[in-house]
Amino acid sequence: MSGKLFVVGTPIGNLSDFSPRAIETLSGVDFIAAEDTRVTIKLLNKFDIHTPMVSYHKFNTREQGDEICRRLENGENCAIVTDAGMPCISDPGEILVRQCAERHIPVCVVPGPTALASALAISGLPTGRFAFEGFLSVNKPGRREHLLSLKNEERTMIFYEAPHKLASTLKDMYRCFGNRRISIVRELTKIHEEVIRTTLEEAVERYADGSVKGEIVLILEGAEKPAVQDGTLEDAVRLAADLCASGASSSDAAKESARLTGFKKGDIYKELLAIQDREEKG
């Protein structure tokens, strides 16, 4: 009879967040597959857990994954853990879960802390719908291509980022998205936990020197929903004309009317100028 793979969440900073069920699971399985055994041994020692470990990381997923699956098929139970948080989320553990699924090996989850949900919860940005984008590429063209693909994404977006890349990432985001709201969440559950609620423009200026340290999650405001066209283009032009009568410039009036009605600014502006030209000649 096949054993089981247990996907076990571990603390992302505060060891008090380690659940009793997680401790029981790691103590009871036959072996633990750890991203970095040097990191995991500190956790095991803290909770007096003596289960043997094997190393499982992005450089040995296929070879070690096959060996882990072989042991599971022979009846052993294994727990997979990452250095912090939930395995398999932006983590090579997803490959092991897929291998188990392909080989019909049971997989169970022992939930634990996860940085993306925790950061989103305290970001102050909309949480009803969100898109988790993980780590951006270290390759500049790849990173910008990724960001450009999200330009019209209306959901709140979540990114993981390393502190030494934060300044360049913020600049790329500002170039791509304009001045949206962003929350920079750092050192979750640790002594220096901090939520910096700001805008991309301010963040670019404030953190150009690379002053932010620690583990970072970026929560970015989604794109505005396109305005739904209400009425006709004639109505939109009439609205723009009323705004001009109140003192707005033709360009600003056309822009505001476009925002409110959903018609293109250029179309409104063209018709508005035509009306103004006729009035001047008349």
Side-chain angles (χ1 to χ4, degrees), residues 234 237-238 241 270-280:
E234 184 180 350
V237 175
R238 188 178 300 112
K270 179 181 177 181
E271 292 298 322
L272 181 62
L273 290 184
I275 291 173
Q276 292 172 342
D277 186 55
R278 288 195 298 270
E279 289 177 349
E280 289 178 3

Side-chain angles (χ1 to χ4, degrees), residues 14 26 35 50 74-75 97 99 111 114 124 129 139 141 153 172 190-191 206 216 220 223 225 235 267:
N14 191 323
L26 293 189
E35 179 184 9
H50 304 285
N74 287 335
V97 170
Q99 283 181 273
T114 178
R129 298 180 66 212
N139 175 271
E153 174 59 68
D172 285 342
K190 300 176 184 176
I191 295 174
R206 182 175 176 183
I216 296 171
L220 181 67
K225 290 184 179 180
D235 294 329
D267 293 340

Side-chain angles (χ1 to χ4, degrees), residues 26-162:
L26 293 189
S27 299
V29 295
D30 295 289
F31 66 104
I32 297 168
E35 179 184 9
D36 188 333
T37 56
R38 296 167 300 180
V39 172
T40 301
I41 192 63
K42 297 175 184 178
L43 181 70
L44 300 187
N45 288 341
K46 171 70 176 178
F47 293 95
D48 197 29
I49 297 170
H50 304 285
T51 307
M53 289 187 288
V54 298
S55 178
Y56 179 86
H57 49 72
K58 64 182 179 180
F59 300 110
N60 70 353
T61 52
R62 175 51 60 184
E63 177 183 341
Q64 189 68 284
D66 286 340
E67 174 61 16
I68 291 170
C69 286
R70 184 193 64 77
R71 294 180 64 175
L72 288 166
E73 288 171 334
N74 287 335
E76 293 185 74
N77 292 318
C78 172
I80 181 169
V81 297
T82 188
D83 288 351
M86 281 300 298
C88 313
I89 306 298
S90 230
D91 174 82
E94 68 172 302
I95 299 172
L96 181 58
V97 170
R98 191 180 308 126
Q99 283 181 273
C100 287
E102 291 170 353
R103 296 165 75 152
H104 305 289
I105 298 170
V107 179
C108 302
V109 65
V110 181
T114 178
L116 72 96
S118 301
L120 177 64
I122 61 175
S123 68
L125 291 172
T127 63
R129 298 180 66 212
F130 61 89
F132 175 57
E133 296 296 324
F135 287 99
L136 292 167
S137 172
V138 296
N139 175 271
K140 286 186 178 180
R143 181 167 69 242
R144 289 171 183 167
E145 182 180 351
H146 185 169
L147 292 175
L148 284 171
S149 74
L150 299 170
K151 191 168 184 177
N152 297 317
E153 174 59 68
E154 296 174 10
R155 295 172 293 180
T156 300
M157 290 169 279
I158 306 173
F159 302 86
Y160 289 162
E161 192 52 282

